[in-house]
Amino acid sequence: MSTASRLPQFVGRLASKLPVTVDSTVRRLAVLSLIGQTVLVVTGGAVRLTASGLGCPTWPRCTNNSLVNTPEMGIHGFIEFGNRLLTFALAAVAALMLVYLWNLRKERKDLFLLALGLLASIPAQAIIGGITVLTQLNPWVVGLHFLVSMALVVFATLLVNRAYGRTGGFRTYPLAALPGVLRPVMTAVALFSAIAVMLGVVVTGAGPHAGDADAPRNNLDWDLFSHIHAVPAYLVTAGTLLAVYFVWRRGIAGTFRSAVLMLLGVTVLQAVIGFTQYYNGIPALLVGAHMLGAALLMSAATNAADIARSSPVR
């Protein structure tokens, strides 16, 4: 029997062993994707904040003669190459997710397309990372690299919600009825969270942590854009507090209340970190914590808006 004739049989046998319902493995892979995308933000921050942005001075190889970092490159090469390796790990998780969803690709297009988007975005992210290195850490390219990571955190959050049946057309969780005003409020909170993150990228591009001592800056007024960046952050806080008021006033319980309280906690944490780093000379450790907070904020805001959109209106 030829190899060509064996292939359909192999695919058929493999498909017969894959789940026909959304099981615990699919859910765990979704959670792993979200955790992995968040960790990627942290390791990317570590690359920049430890001045390891050019730890691997070329791309796709780490050096002209080596695919991996070498001992001579020291800690900077180790940090930069470790961040690159995590991208491959996330690609493997996304590919495995697609395999497990193969029998559900028509019935659960929502899950399949989100997983496909995650997988397709990862090589794009790797290419942007390569351009970042080849342009000697151009701040606008570095910023784009970070924003793609934020988008992947959003996709992964939606994937988790859909996999667990909390939102979407296959929702199995009972959701409390919400006042109609909460849908647009939570959508606005998610939108202003994204704007705050985008403006944060501009602030970072004007700040001191470039990823390498010789890396260029965007030459914008850091202090001015820090204040501009704070405006959508204030609006996120206001929208979140309004949602908390409705939750308390109307006695809303369950998933939405948990989502709003989580969003409030992340928002307050981000505000504390942001003000502290502003008034203390932008220490690298706090900048890294603020980057992690940005990922958590995007996930929490997406989660709350997604749940509000799926909840019945009263």
Side-chain angles (χ1 to χ4, degrees):
M1 185 180 296
S2 66
T3 302
S5 60
R6 289 195 191 99
L7 184 60
Q9 294 181 10
F10 172 77
V11 172
R13 287 196 300 270
L14 178 61
S16 67
K17 297 178 181 179
L18 295 175
V20 293
T21 60
V22 179
D23 61 7
S24 59
T25 300
V26 172
R27 296 188 182 101
R28 286 171 187 151
L29 286 171
V31 171
L32 189 58
S33 292
L34 177 56
I35 293 173
Q37 296 298 342
T38 305
V39 171
L40 185 63
V41 172
V42 175
T43 60
V47 169
R48 184 162 57 82
L49 297 170
T50 59
S52 302
L54 296 177
C56 287
T58 188
W59 187 89
R61 290 174 173 267
C62 194
T63 71
N64 290 329
N65 300 314
S66 176
L67 184 63
V68 302
N69 62 301
T70 62
E72 293 77 15
M73 300 170 71
I75 187 64
H76 295 308
F78 177 81
I79 293 173
E80 164 65 6
F81 186 70
N83 187 58
R84 293 187 183 188
L85 280 182
L86 182 57
T87 302
F88 288 105
L90 289 174
V93 171
L96 192 58
M97 183 79 172
L98 284 177
V99 170
Y100 268 89
L101 288 170
W102 183 252
N103 289 333
L104 295 163
R105 64 191 183 280
K106 295 180 180 178
E107 178 186 351
R108 294 301 307 268
K109 284 184 179 180
D110 57 335
L111 292 178
F112 192 80
L113 291 177
L114 281 169
L116 183 61
L118 282 172
L119 181 60
S121 298
I122 289 170
Q125 183 76 315
I127 292 172
I128 296 171
I131 296 173
T132 300
V133 172
L134 297 177
T135 58
Q136 301 296 297
L137 308 183
N138 180 289
W140 298 108
V141 182
V142 172
L144 177 62
H145 200 34
F146 180 76
L147 291 178
V148 173
S149 287
M150 292 295 102
L152 294 179
V153 167
V154 170
F155 290 157
T157 300
L158 294 174
L159 183 63
V160 170
N161 277 352
R162 301 298 191 272
Y164 277 86
R166 284 199 288 260
T167 62
F170 294 87
R171 179 171 63 85
T172 57
Y173 269 57
L175 294 177
L178 305 179
V181 69
L182 281 177
R183 282 190 181 179
V185 166
M186 300 320 298
T187 299
V189 167
L191 176 62
F192 285 126
S193 296
I195 293 173
V197 168
M198 286 187 283
L199 287 172
V201 165
V202 177
V203 174
T204 299
H209 302 290
D212 187 80
D214 298 322
R217 302 283 73 205
N218 61 25
N219 297 320
L220 297 175
D221 187 327
W222 177 86
D223 190 63
L224 172 63
F225 275 91
S226 293
H227 286 87
I228 295 173
H229 161 62
V231 173
Y234 293 144
L235 294 173
V236 169
T237 304
T240 302
L241 289 174
L242 180 61
V244 170
Y245 169 78
F246 273 104
V247 165
W248 172 74
R249 185 73 177 175
R250 302 292 181 88
I252 299 170
T255 307
F256 182 73
R257 180 177 66 181
S258 299
V260 168
L261 292 178
M262 181 183 300
L263 176 59
L264 177 64
V266 172
T267 302
V268 170
L269 178 64
Q270 269 295 76
V272 170
I273 295 172
F275 280 114
T276 304
Q277 70 172 2
Y278 179 84
Y279 289 108
N280 288 275
I282 329 171
L285 188 61
L286 285 181
V287 173
H290 206 46
M291 292 177 68
L292 172 60
L296 296 178
L297 176 63
M298 287 306 304
S299 181
T302 299
N303 179 52
D306 191 32
I307 290 170
R309 184 173 178 272
S310 295
S311 298
V313 176
R314 68 186 184 191

